[in-house]
């Protein structure tokens, strides 16, 4: 199914590009993979969350396979990162910021598409979160790293906040460009603040903090 809303499509493709860059840069900096590995990790990071979302809401085949633009944007983003890896691989900030951008955009589009398919409010918020964290989780698993969502930092929480904003504004009948951008900006801000000040989700009492 091809995404119908121009806003949703634009945000989805922007998130795809951001996550492709992030995944490819991670492949270069962390896993030190060759061009095939860089392209694979970039595309898995960019497309994984959306594929999981579409399968869960029975939107088949997933948008990735019914709209050539997703594959193209993911491939281009991965190759751009590979081409400029010599300069970008030394920088940690771009990887983290691109990850935050992809997380924010996908949380919004995931919740919005779920609402379009008529799922409940809570389910839409969860699906938005899954869309945001799915690609990064697959990325980390492929390079044998415990996914960020399971070990530290504010990751799923910002995505859930953004997805909830989408659901609430949609139910209130005021969802649109402004609400979508505001939700994505809120997620991005929470994520970046969490990184800046090393904020983590609550842990069990007595657990060690690294």
């Amino acid at each position: 199914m091809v995404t119908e809303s121009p806003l949703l499509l634009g945000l989805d493709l922007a998130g795809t590009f951001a996550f492709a860059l992030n995944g490819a840069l991670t492949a270069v900096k962390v896993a030190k993979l060759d061009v095939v590995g860089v392209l694979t990790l970039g595309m898995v990071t960019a497309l994984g969350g959306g594929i999981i979302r579409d399968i869960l809401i029975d939107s088949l085949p997933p948008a990735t396979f019914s709209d050539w633009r997703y594959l193209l944007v993911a491939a281009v983003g991965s190759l751009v990162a590979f081409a400029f890896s010599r300069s970008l691989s030394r920088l940690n900030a771009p990887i983290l910021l691109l990850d935050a951008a992809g997380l924010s955009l996908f949380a919004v589009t995931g919740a919005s598409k779920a609402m379009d398919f008529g799922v409940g409010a809570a389910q839409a918020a969860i699906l938005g979160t899954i869309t945001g964290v799915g690609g990064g989780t697959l990325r980390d698993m492929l390079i044998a790293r415990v996914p960020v969502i399971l070990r530290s930092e504010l990751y799923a929480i910002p995505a859930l906040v953004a997805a909830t904003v989408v659901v609430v504004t949609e139910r209130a009948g005021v969802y649109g460009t402004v609400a979508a951008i505001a939700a994505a900006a809120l997620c991005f801000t929470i994520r970046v603040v969490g990184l800046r000040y090393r904020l983590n989700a609550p842990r069990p009492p007595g657990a060690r903090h690294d």
Side-chain angles (χ1 to χ4, degrees):
M1 176 178 177
V2 178
T3 303
E4 296 180 357
S5 166
L7 171 64
L8 187 59
L9 175 62
L11 292 175
D12 227 11
L13 291 177
T16 298
F17 187 76
F19 259 159
L21 285 172
N22 169 267
L25 287 174
T26 301
V28 172
K29 180 179 174 64
V30 179
K32 305 186 187 307
L33 304 179
D34 61 15
V35 63
V36 176
V38 171
L39 187 61
T40 299
L41 201 63
M43 296 188 71
V44 166
T45 306
L47 305 173
I51 292 174
I52 295 172
R53 172 203 63 207
D54 288 349
I55 291 174
L56 290 175
I57 63 176
D58 199 25
S59 175
L60 302 174
T64 296
F65 303 112
S66 60
D67 188 337
W68 58 270
R69 288 171 289 191
Y70 287 95
L71 288 172
L72 177 63
V73 169
V76 169
S78 300
L79 292 175
V80 166
F82 178 79
F84 295 97
S85 61
R86 179 170 296 180
S87 57
L88 293 177
S89 63
R90 303 191 191 99
L91 304 175
N92 190 50
I95 295 179
L96 295 175
L97 291 176
L98 288 168
D99 184 67
L103 177 73
S104 305
L105 294 167
F106 275 3
V108 171
T109 59
S112 180
K113 185 169 184 178
M115 293 292 287
D116 288 343
F117 273 71
V119 305
Q123 292 87 338
I126 292 171
L127 285 166
T129 305
I130 290 174
T131 308
V133 306
T137 300
L138 293 175
R139 171 202 65 208
D140 290 344
M141 292 173 64
L142 285 174
I143 61 174
R145 183 171 69 177
V146 178
V148 174
I149 186 176
L150 298 179
R151 55 189 167 90
S152 64
E153 305 171 358
L154 296 179
Y155 199 70
I157 291 176
L160 181 60
V161 169
T164 301
V165 170
V166 171
V167 171
V168 171
T169 54
E170 176 75 25
R171 286 295 177 91
V174 295
Y175 181 69
T177 303
V178 174
I181 293 176
L186 180 59
C187 177
F188 184 84
T189 300
I190 296 173
R191 173 66 176 148
V192 170
V193 169
L195 288 169
R196 173 65 179 82
Y197 295 101
R198 301 180 62 86
L199 302 176
N200 298 315
R203 295 186 180 184
R208 291 181 58 186
H209 294 263
D210 297 329

